[in-house]
């Protein structure tokens, strides 16, 4: 159905007419408001009845996460710090053998820059907020300092900077610190430019003030031989949901010769004006008047230098090609062009050529189809990534290379701009983009430097050891790499769970698997039982910026894809099938969101939904598609970022075809009949806020939940709603939550009153459908939570965090925490059974025994008041075998027990059990397993059977039973090769007919060597 038909239908229903003005949302949040939200979050954490309910991290680690900065410790070559964009600061003291997270309890885990005080190596400065300007970059809360090597931190102001790009500590006086502040991304104003403190962060002076409210600082470097000489880069950029202007008049390089107190702008041949984008700086230590700068230069390339591609028919050539030239192309080239341009699948070379000949297809029509979001990332006919050089301390500059440096930063130079110089060689320069490239002649010529298969792409930081320049630390979107031979070989140091999930999903396997899409690291699958500290248990599925995943548990089909809707169905045999809807060639190109969703119908997994600006449905696993909606967006904003797209879709688990849809321009639509008729239901909701989630209830057919998000307006307010009449009216359920943008709301699968939300700082839970909220983040870092998944069978909540990988918490206690339980002094929840291992009946190995592999029983209990609770393990006859104590806080408490029994209690219980046996059974060793374990020196573990755990507190007791299953049976050592025909002895071979164990095909023994 064409758009005109849809619009007519909407007009007939009265749904396309102008409605009353929607409520105006809030303005960008102030530092004071953000601090108040942080204080509220801490109070909620301290008071939450769920603070003792512990999350467990399940990884993954192998893919790494975006590294922004390094800081080495002078005099301690094996000690350094690594700053992850949203994963916090980690420290190693053994040259990367292991790392420890340091900043999990700061207001968030977002870091832009770090620096060690050269005069006080235990002092670490942390600048929060990421200066890159990509879609999932977060702001921070200013400056923090640790005086004890990262054990504790104190805030040190500049909360209004939002994003900090660089920190320089004066090597002569650690109280003097300079900071380059990038400022907010989506709104003007705040603290931007360069700031100086001379009292260790107690007060700050704004020493370099940008020329406008959108310009901030992108880099700051010091001359190591003359600390009074500094260089700063300012960057004029502004982002809206539909547009990114990544260059402007305010961009430029400035110099100070008085320790940063005053600054002057440098010219001397540098590009000026509205084409100057992000700038990075580096001073040559061995030749300090030589300074390099990378400039993302948006000046058009001269026609003679433009790259039209290596094919006779490329998107660049098509734009200037005549109809006659097109018709003269090789059909094989036409076919390659069709596939590369993602044209409708029904087109082939013959059909396209025939259409161009008869005029039904025009070249402008083809050109319009080339303007999708993914293609725009890589098509940039400007200078782009350029390297500039001065040899006189900034008085004069020249571009170091005569020809463009192609395919390094493409059209997204705003994401990179880092440059480094070898400390011992001023001519050896490294610059970073998708690849890391190096020049040995001062920037004239370049070569690729990281083609090693273990090294990821998208590089953001390079540290060169000033004492041993062959030692390199490289940070990229895939984590951390180290080289000890100047880049000839590399070693990954990615054993930290710092993945940046966009989405999270789980299947119904036993145990279930977790799936998710990660920023620039594709989509992955891992076991929910993963213990990342013991090694990786995840596998790679698909590439790109990983987005949504959906799994058909019956067929084994997995749907997954990357940015802007490029999706694949992977069947059980591993074959891949394209599942992307495409509009007919004569229609406008579809607009796909950066994070295009794919979901399966809860009623029939063969039914697949995908969303662009219209909602599509497939009844045949994505082989063919039908649009079941008109364009559900309203915004006419069109820029260089795809906008006016669908961001959330939910189908009711109670009724097929009952669907809710949300868009990035803030609109919500519902249908009760599979898309035949749509209703717009957002007239009373705040305008212009991104719909981050629509969630239709599985418990009440007309109930739905809605989350809006103001991240792209720098608005941290909570926009969270419930409707009990399918969108006719809305009730805000935001009261009680701190001002943190909400990314996801989920309804519990078992208890209709329980809700979970994930925000830019953590997870919250409501037990009464949103009337009141409590923090649910025991042990979870203060990290953005992008997605949540409630496992319907295992009653666990999975969090996909954008910076600290995936986490799991048992929410069975949350589902069962009713008034009766809360009134009890103590309550022990369900305990999962265990399977015994034959290793339990062995002595501990004196050399290879690993405590982390030993068995343990985990569970959760409720304590109305804090104190000490006492546990007893009872056998099937209520005889005690062990007892232990645990501290409790008021509320839910997680505990673990190592299963080791009390010898005296256990032997006494076993003695009682033996006395009840017949006399001829009492001496059999299988009836005295505990005594045997004591005799043979085993750890004393329970034997397979039924047990009860009893907890006692404040005069009350409560019990829960669990099973310990027998170890898996050993596999047979030998199986007869055949059954003898006519054998009347139960199919067994007669002894005289049994083949020799070394028999050949005719039943005769093989000859033995030497016989």
């Amino acid at each position: 159905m064409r758009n005109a038909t849809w619009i007519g239908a909407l007009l007939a229903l009265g749904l396309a007419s102008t409605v009353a003005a929607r409520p105006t949302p809030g303005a960008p949040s102030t530092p004071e408001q953000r601090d108040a939200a942080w204080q509220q979050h801490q109070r909620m954490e301290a008071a939450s009845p769920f603070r003792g309910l512990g999350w467990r991290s399940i990884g993954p680690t192998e893919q790494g996460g975006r590294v922004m900065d390094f800081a080495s410790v002078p005099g301690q070559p094996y000690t350094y710090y690594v700053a992850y964009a949203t994963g916090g600061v980690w420290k190693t003291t053994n040259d990367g053998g292991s790392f420890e997270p340091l900043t999990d309890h700061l207001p968030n885990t977002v870091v832009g820059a770090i620096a060690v005080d050269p005069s006080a190596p235990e002092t670490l400065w942390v600048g929060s907020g990421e200066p890159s300007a990509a879609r999932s970059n977060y702001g921070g809360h200013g400056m923090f300092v640790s005086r004890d090597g990262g054990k504790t931190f104190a805030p040190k102001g500049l909360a209004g900077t939002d994003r900090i790009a660089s920190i320089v500590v004066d090597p002569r006086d650690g109280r003097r610190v300079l900071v380059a502040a990038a400022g907010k991304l989506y709104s003007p104003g705040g603290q931007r430019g360069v700031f100086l403190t001379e009292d260790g962060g107690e007060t700050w002076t704004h020493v370099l003030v940008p020329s406008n409210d959108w310009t901030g600082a992108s880099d700051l470097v010091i001359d190591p031989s003359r600390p009074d000489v500094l260089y700063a880069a300012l960057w004029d950029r502004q982002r809206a949901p539909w547009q990114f202007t990544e260059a402007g008049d305010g961009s430029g390089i400035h110099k100070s010769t008085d320790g940063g107190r005053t600054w002057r702008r440098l010219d001397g041949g540098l590009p000026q004006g509205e084409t100057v984008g992000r700038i990075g700086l580096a001073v040559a230590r061995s030749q300090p008047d030589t300074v390099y700068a990378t400039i993302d230069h948006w000046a058009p390339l001269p026609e003679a230098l433009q790259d039209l591609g290596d094919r006779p028919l490329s998107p660049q050539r098509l734009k200037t090609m005549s109809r006659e030239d097109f018709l003269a192309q090789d059909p094989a080239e036409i076919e390659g062009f069709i596939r590369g341009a993602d044209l409708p699948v029904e087109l082939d070379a013959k059909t396209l050529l025939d259409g161009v000949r008869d005029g039904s297809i025009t070249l402008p029509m083809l050109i319009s189809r080339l303007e999708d979001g993914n293609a725009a990332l890589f098509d940039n006919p400007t200078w782009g990534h350029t390297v500039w050089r001065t040899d006189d301390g900034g008085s004069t500059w020249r571009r170091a290379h005569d020809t463009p440096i192609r395919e390094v930063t493409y059209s997204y130079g705003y994401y990179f701009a880092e440059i480094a110089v070898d400390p011992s060689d001023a001519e050896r320069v490294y610059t970073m983009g998708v690849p890391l490239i190096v020049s040995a002649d001062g920037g004239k010529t370049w070569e690729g430097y990281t083609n090693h298969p273990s090294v990821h792409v998208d590089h953001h930081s390079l540290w060169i050891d000033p004492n041993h320049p062959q030692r390199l630390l490289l940070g990229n979107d895939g984590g951390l790499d180290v080289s000890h031979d100047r880049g000839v070989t590399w070693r990954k140091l990615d054993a930290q769970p710092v993945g940046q999930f966009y989405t999270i999903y789980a299947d119904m396997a036993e145990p279930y698997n977790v799936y998710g899409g990660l920023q620039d690291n594709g989509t992955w699958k891992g076991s929910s039982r993963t213990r990342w500290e013991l090694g990786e248990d995840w596998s790679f599925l698909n590439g790109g910026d990983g987005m949504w995943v959906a799994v058909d548990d019956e067929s084994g089909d997995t749907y997954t894809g990357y940015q802007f809707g490029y999706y694949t169905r992977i069947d059980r045999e591993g074959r891949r099938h394209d599942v992307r809807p495409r509009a007919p060639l004569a229609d406008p190109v579809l607009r796909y969101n950066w994070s295009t969703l794919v979901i399966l119908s809860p009623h029939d997994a063969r039914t697949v939904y995908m969303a662009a600006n219209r909602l599509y449905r497939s009844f045949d696993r994505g082989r063919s598609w039908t649009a079941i909606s008109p364009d559900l967006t309203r915004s006419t904003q069109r820029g260089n970022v795809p906008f006016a797209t669908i961001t959330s879709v939910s189908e009711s688990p109670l009724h097929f075809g009952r669907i809710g849809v949300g868009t990035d321009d803030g609109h919500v639509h519902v249908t009760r009949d599979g898309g035949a008729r749509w209703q717009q239901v957002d007239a009373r909701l705040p305008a212009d806020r991104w719909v981050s989630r629509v969630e239709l209830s599985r418990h009440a057919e007309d109930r739905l939940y809605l989350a809006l998000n103001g991240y792209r307006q720098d608005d941290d307010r909570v926009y969270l709603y419930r409707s009990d009449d399918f969108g006719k009216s809305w009730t805000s359920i935001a009261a009680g939550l701190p001002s943190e943008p909400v990314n996801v709301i989920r309804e519990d699968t078992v208890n209709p009153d329980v809700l979970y939300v994930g925000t830019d700082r953590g997870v919250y839970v409501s037990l009464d459908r949103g009337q009141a909220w409590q923090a649910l983040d025991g042990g979870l870092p203060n990290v953005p939570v992008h997605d949540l998944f409630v496992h319907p069978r295992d009653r666990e909540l999975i969090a996909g965090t954008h910076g600290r990988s995936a986490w799991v918490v048992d929410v069975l206690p949350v589902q069962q925490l009713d008034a009766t339980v809360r009134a009890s002094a103590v309550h022990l929840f369900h305990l999962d059974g265990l399977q015994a291992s034959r290793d339990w009946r062995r002595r501990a190995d004196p050399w290879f025994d690993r405590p982390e592999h030993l068995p343990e029983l985990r569970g959760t209990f409720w304590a109305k008041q804090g104190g000490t609770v006492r546990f007893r393990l009872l056998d099937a006859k209520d005889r005690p075998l062990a007892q232990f104590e645990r501290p409790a806080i008021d509320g839910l408490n997680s505990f673990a027990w190592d299963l080791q029994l009390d010898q005296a209690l256990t032997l006494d219980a076993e003695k009682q059990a033996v006395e009840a046996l017949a006399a001829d059974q009492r001496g059999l060793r299988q009836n005295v397993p505990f005594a045997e374990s004591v005799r043979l020196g085993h750890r004393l573990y329970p034997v397979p059977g039924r047990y009860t755990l009893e907890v006692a507190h404040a005069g009350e007791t409560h019990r829960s039973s669990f099973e310990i299953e027998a170890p898996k049976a050993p596999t047979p050592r030998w199986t007869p090769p055949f059954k003898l025909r006519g054998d009347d002895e139960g199919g067994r071979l007669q002894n005289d007919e049994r083949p020799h164990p070394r028999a050949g095909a005719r039943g005769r023994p093989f000859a033995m060597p030497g016989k």
Side-chain angles (χ1 to χ4, degrees):
M1 186 179 290
R2 295 289 186 259
N3 285 338
T5 307
W6 275 109
I7 292 171
L10 289 174
L11 286 169
L13 291 169
L15 299 179
S17 59
T18 303
V19 296
R22 295 168 61 182
T24 302
S29 299
T30 65
E32 294 75 18
Q33 290 169 330
R34 301 191 77 201
D35 183 65
W38 166 233
Q39 299 301 326
Q40 182 182 351
H41 175 87
Q42 293 181 93
R43 290 193 299 270
M44 292 180 70
E45 273 191 321
S48 174
F50 305 106
R51 66 192 185 279
L53 196 61
W55 290 79
R56 57 184 174 89
S57 173
I58 63 169
T61 63
E62 182 182 345
Q63 84 297 325
R66 187 162 65 251
V67 171
M68 295 305 298
D69 204 3
F70 301 106
S72 65
V73 178
Q76 301 178 42
Y78 290 166
T79 298
Y80 51 88
Y81 302 90
V82 181
Y84 291 90
T86 50
V89 179
W90 294 64
K91 181 180 182 178
T92 180
T93 57
N94 53 17
D95 199 21
S98 61
F99 287 84
E100 172 192 7
L102 305 179
T103 53
D104 287 1
H105 299 293
L106 293 187
N108 62 27
T109 55
V110 183
V111 185
I114 54 176
V116 167
D117 182 348
S119 61
E122 287 298 296
T123 296
L124 172 69
W125 288 88
V126 174
S128 63
E130 186 183 357
S132 296
R135 293 166 176 83
S136 61
N137 295 159
Y138 284 92
H141 292 251
M143 292 291 294
F144 298 86
V145 68
S146 172
R147 306 290 185 188
D148 52 14
K151 295 176 183 175
T152 60
F153 285 88
K156 287 298 176 182
L158 296 185
T161 56
D162 200 60
R163 296 153 194 266
I164 290 174
S166 187
I167 305 168
V168 170
V169 183
D170 192 321
R172 303 162 299 183
D173 180 359
R175 296 171 301 174
R176 297 190 78 256
V177 181
L178 291 108
V179 169
K184 289 180 177 290
L185 179 57
Y186 285 95
S187 58
Q191 294 176 304
R192 298 169 182 261
V194 177
F195 294 83
L196 167 68
T197 180
E198 300 188 90
D199 55 13
E202 298 303 314
T203 60
W204 295 88
T205 302
H206 200 177
V207 291
L208 178 55
V209 181
S211 59
N212 63 62
D213 283 346
W214 283 101
T215 299
S218 61
D219 207 355
L220 176 67
V221 294
I222 190 171
D223 182 336
S225 63
R226 296 167 294 186
D228 280 333
V229 176
L230 298 107
Y231 300 87
L234 297 187
W235 180 21
D236 189 342
R237 51 85 165 119
Q238 53 184 292
R239 203 184 240 288
W242 56 85
Q243 176 71 32
F244 184 31
T245 303
E246 50 195 287
D249 293 333
S251 301
I253 301 175
H254 299 250
K255 182 177 181 178
S256 172
T257 56
D258 57 6
R261 293 183 179 89
T262 62
W263 296 82
R264 63 182 176 88
R265 179 164 178 155
L266 302 180
D267 187 359
L270 286 169
Q272 307 288 329
E274 61 183 14
T275 63
V276 181
R278 184 174 176 177
I279 300 171
L281 300 168
V283 177
R285 179 181 288 265
S286 63
Q287 190 174 301
D289 278 337
T290 296
V291 182
Y292 289 91
T294 59
I295 299 178
D296 184 26
H297 196 195
W298 281 76
L301 273 174
E303 188 172 336
L305 293 178
Q306 290 187 19
D307 181 11
L308 300 182
D310 63 350
R311 309 305 306 169
L313 182 56
S314 66
Q316 295 83 1
R317 296 182 194 279
L318 181 65
K319 292 174 182 177
T320 58
M321 186 175 289
S322 69
R323 176 175 175 272
E324 290 70 24
D325 284 345
F326 184 87
L327 292 173
Q329 297 298 314
D330 183 342
E333 291 293 334
I334 298 279
E335 187 65 35
F337 172 79
I338 289 171
R339 294 168 184 262
D342 193 45
L343 297 181
V345 292
E346 61 269 18
L347 274 183
D348 58 17
K350 181 180 184 306
T351 306
L352 181 54
L353 287 168
D354 289 344
V356 172
R357 286 191 189 95
D358 65 24
S360 61
I361 300 175
T362 66
L363 296 193
M365 188 185 298
L366 294 178
I367 292 170
S368 71
R369 299 304 295 261
L370 305 177
E371 298 171 357
D372 87 318
N374 209 55
L377 291 174
F378 306 104
D379 184 9
N380 184 19
T382 67
W383 273 98
H385 189 72
T386 57
V387 175
W388 298 74
R389 173 177 179 159
T390 177
D391 292 302
D392 53 16
S395 296
T396 60
W397 295 79
R398 69 183 187 278
R399 192 176 61 241
H401 48 96
D402 296 326
T403 57
I405 304 176
R406 303 188 193 278
E407 298 182 10
V408 171
T409 63
Y410 299 95
S411 70
Y412 49 109
Y414 60 83
Y415 196 51
F416 302 110
E418 298 296 319
I419 191 166
V421 187
D422 189 306
S424 62
D425 182 357
E427 301 301 307
R428 187 173 181 83
V429 190
Y430 304 84
T431 186
M432 280 151 271
V434 175
L436 170 69
I437 60 175
V438 64
S439 172
D441 55 13
K444 295 176 185 176
T445 60
W446 298 87
E447 62 177 310
Y449 203 60
T450 50
N451 56 3
H452 193 277
S454 71
V455 179
H456 197 77
V457 294
D458 287 14
H459 301 282
H460 302 285
S461 185
L462 177 69
W463 177 77
I464 308 172
D465 190 331
N467 300 313
H468 304 280
Q470 68 272 21
R471 181 177 175 229
L472 310 175
L473 289 175
L474 177 62
N476 48 55
D477 276 11
L480 171 62
D481 301 274
V482 63
S483 175
H484 291 276
D485 52 15
R486 213 175 231 148
V488 176
T489 60
W490 293 90
R491 176 166 59 96
K492 286 177 67 67
L493 299 180
D494 298 325
Q496 299 76 256
V498 288
Q500 296 177 300
F501 275 97
Y502 285 116
T503 63
I504 207 78
Y505 191 86
D507 64 19
M508 296 296 288
E510 292 269 13
Y512 68 85
N513 297 296
V514 176
Y515 303 75
L518 296 110
Q519 191 274 330
D520 203 38
N521 279 279
T523 47
W524 290 69
K525 169 187 177 181
S527 170
S528 58
R529 301 299 117 189
T530 294
R531 296 172 65 183
W532 67 267
E533 306 94 331
L534 306 183
E536 191 63 271
D537 194 15
W538 288 71
S539 58
F540 177 79
L541 293 177
N542 201 52
D545 276 86
M547 297 299 170
W548 290 69
V549 183
V551 179
D552 180 347
D553 289 293
E554 182 177 344
S555 70
D557 286 346
T558 300
Y559 298 79
T560 181
Y562 56 86
Q563 66 272 10
F564 300 122
Y566 288 90
Y567 274 68
T568 297
R569 175 173 60 87
I570 307 172
D571 63 28
R572 194 183 296 274
E573 287 73 36
R575 294 170 300 200
R576 293 172 177 261
H577 311 268
D578 180 280
V579 293
R580 178 179 171 88
R582 297 166 179 85
L585 194 60
D587 283 4
V589 65
L590 295 174
R591 297 187 300 277
Y592 283 98
N593 192 267
W594 171 254
S595 182
T596 297
L597 61 87
V598 60
I599 64 171
L600 307 184
S601 171
H603 307 280
D604 178 7
R606 293 170 297 183
T607 299
V608 188
Y609 296 96
M610 282 190 69
N613 50 310
R614 304 168 72 178
L615 181 61
Y616 283 80
R617 182 177 61 204
S618 171
F619 286 131
D620 55 10
R621 307 186 192 276
R623 295 182 180 88
S624 60
W625 295 93
T626 301
I628 62 169
S629 83
D631 188 336
L632 294 178
T633 68
R634 296 291 178 266
S635 175
T636 58
Q637 297 283 4
R638 300 290 182 268
N640 56 12
V641 178
F643 184 66
T645 66
I646 292 172
T647 54
S648 184
V649 176
S650 177
E651 184 180 24
S652 168
L654 302 177
H655 292 282
F656 177 78
R658 187 182 291 245
I659 302 168
V661 173
T663 66
D664 54 11
D665 61 351
H667 292 290
V668 183
H669 289 79
V670 295
T671 179
R672 297 175 184 270
D673 50 19
R677 292 167 296 181
W678 290 88
Q679 282 183 292
Q680 186 172 332
V681 294
D682 51 48
R684 294 178 178 83
L685 298 172
D688 303 324
R689 289 298 180 262
W690 193 287
V691 177
S692 56
R693 201 68 51 151
V694 176
E695 174 92 339
L696 271 63
S697 172
R698 66 177 54 242
H699 301 292
E701 62 181 19
D702 282 339
R703 184 178 300 151
L704 62 96
Y705 297 95
L706 178 70
L708 308 178
N709 187 300
Y711 161 84
R712 291 158 188 83
Q713 291 83 14
D714 288 322
D715 174 11
D716 292 346
R717 290 165 183 81
V718 177
Y719 300 102
L720 195 62
Y721 304 89
R722 186 188 74 237
S723 175
D724 293 310
D725 52 15
F726 210 51
K728 292 179 182 177
S729 62
W730 296 93
T731 299
S732 173
I733 54 174
L737 285 168
S739 287
E740 300 165 10
V742 176
N743 302 309
V744 57
I745 181 168
R746 293 293 188 198
E747 182 187 54
D748 189 77
T749 55
V750 174
N751 189 330
D753 294 330
V754 174
L755 301 174
Y756 311 96
V757 297
T759 74
D760 281 354
R761 184 175 283 129
V763 180
Y764 300 87
V765 62
S766 172
L767 302 182
D768 50 17
R769 296 186 210 162
Q771 295 182 55
W773 295 92
Q774 288 84 32
L776 182 63
D777 52 5
L780 190 69
N782 294 318
V783 63
V785 175
H786 268 220
D787 203 4
L788 296 169
F789 186 95
V790 186
H791 200 277
R793 181 194 66 215
D794 288 20
R795 305 172 80 165
E796 292 183 327
L797 179 66
I798 312 159
T801 75
H802 200 75
R804 291 299 295 275
S805 293
W807 295 69
V808 174
V809 66
D810 182 8
V811 291
L812 180 149
V814 178
Q815 296 169 345
Q816 295 183 345
L817 193 62
D818 56 20
T820 301
V821 173
R822 292 196 294 269
S824 304
V826 68
H827 180 91
L828 182 60
F829 293 93
H830 166 81
L831 296 171
D832 289 331
L834 301 169
Q835 184 170 51
S837 165
R838 281 182 291 279
D839 289 339
W840 291 11
R841 296 288 175 259
R842 292 176 182 169
R843 276 191 301 231
D845 191 294
W847 313 116
F848 300 103
D849 195 39
R850 295 185 63 181
E852 61 268 30
H853 288 296
L854 298 179
E856 61 181 7
L857 178 72
R858 291 181 171 270
T860 304
F861 65 91
W862 163 267
K864 192 173 183 180
Q865 296 178 340
T868 299
V869 298
R870 294 173 175 81
F871 290 88
R872 290 197 309 160
L873 182 72
L874 309 173
D875 67 11
K877 298 293 185 180
D878 267 3
R879 293 179 290 246
L881 305 178
Q883 52 192 14
F884 58 95
E885 296 180 348
R886 291 291 183 271
I889 60 173
D890 55 311
L892 292 176
N893 295 262
S894 298
F895 73 93
W897 175 51
D898 63 8
L899 285 180
Q900 296 206 46
L901 305 180
D902 181 284
Q903 181 172 318
L905 289 175
T906 301
L907 293 181
D908 184 60
E910 186 172 71
K911 181 180 178 182
Q912 297 177 43
V914 169
E915 289 174 351
L917 296 175
D920 62 342
Q921 296 293 310
R922 294 175 187 173
L924 298 178
R925 286 185 173 175
Q926 67 261 33
N927 291 326
V928 287
F930 297 120
E932 275 294 284
S933 286
V934 171
R935 182 176 73 86
L936 297 172
H938 305 161
R939 290 187 178 96
L940 199 55
Y941 287 135
V943 297
R946 189 76 176 168
Y947 294 89
T948 297
L949 190 65
E950 177 186 83
V951 60
H953 181 54
E956 292 186 18
T957 61
H958 193 258
R959 293 181 171 190
S960 185
S961 297
F962 65 98
E963 187 87 22
I964 295 183
E965 297 180 11
K968 292 181 179 179
T971 56
R973 297 176 59 204
W974 180 76
T975 302
F978 56 84
K979 176 184 175 182
L980 189 63
R981 179 173 177 268
D983 182 10
D984 296 326
E985 300 297 324
R988 298 177 182 175
L989 298 173
Q990 302 299 318
N991 287 337
D992 58 348
E993 297 169 333
R994 190 177 302 275
H996 191 282
R998 295 193 300 274
R1002 297 178 182 272
R1004 301 176 65 182
F1006 290 114
M1008 297 297 290
K1011 298 291 185 180

